[in-house]
Amino acid sequence: MLHIYCPHCAETREEEEFRPKGEAHIARPVEPEATSDEDWGNYLFFRKNPRGLHHELWYHAAGCRKFFNVTRDTVSYQIHETYKVGQKPSVTADKGAAK
Ligand SMILES: [Zn+2]
């Protein structure tokens, strides 16, 4: 079981309280009328499925009911950091895990 730190509650809680909501940092096209069908399709349906570090959106369903981001290793399941939506991750694939 994962133990996840909620940046809103400032507490580490069990995984059962949370729901994963897919890839984080998905940007909606700025000009919808000028966006091609292919770009809309990519925005709506296609997500990264990396082996290694991944930025994910999670929801604290049985707690504060707020969304936040998690940087997690998809191989080891290790969570490197959690941060609020709108903030940038400090751990990225090119920087590696800061320890
Ligand atoms: Zn919370």
Side-chain angles (χ1 to χ4, degrees):
M1 171 171 299
L2 295 173
H3 290 91
I4 300 170
Y5 178 81
C6 175
H8 298 287
C9 297
E11 289 182 25
T12 300
R13 308 298 297 236
E14 293 187 350
E15 179 184 357
E16 291 176 346
E17 292 191 8
F18 300 90
R19 299 288 178 270
K21 293 294 182 179
E23 185 179 342
H25 308 291
I26 305 292
R28 182 181 172 90
V30 177
E31 295 183 46
E33 294 81 18
T35 303
S36 69
D37 289 345
E38 183 179 351
D39 288 342
W40 267 115
N42 288 335
Y43 164 71
L44 291 173
F45 302 113
F46 291 92
R47 298 293 180 257
K48 293 175 186 165
N49 187 21
R51 178 178 172 82
L53 282 182
H54 191 221
H55 302 290
E56 301 169 329
L57 185 66
W58 283 69
Y59 175 61
H60 197 176
C64 61
R65 304 183 71 172
K66 292 180 180 174
F67 288 85
F68 60 96
N69 294 325
V70 171
T71 301
R72 184 177 65 88
D73 190 311
T74 59
V75 177
S76 67
Y77 285 81
Q78 180 186 359
I79 292 175
H80 291 281
E81 66 177 339
T82 62
Y83 53 99
K84 294 178 182 177
V85 171
Q87 295 178 328
K88 294 194 179 238
S90 60
V91 180
T92 57
D94 54 314
K95 284 194 218 168
K99 284 230 168 175

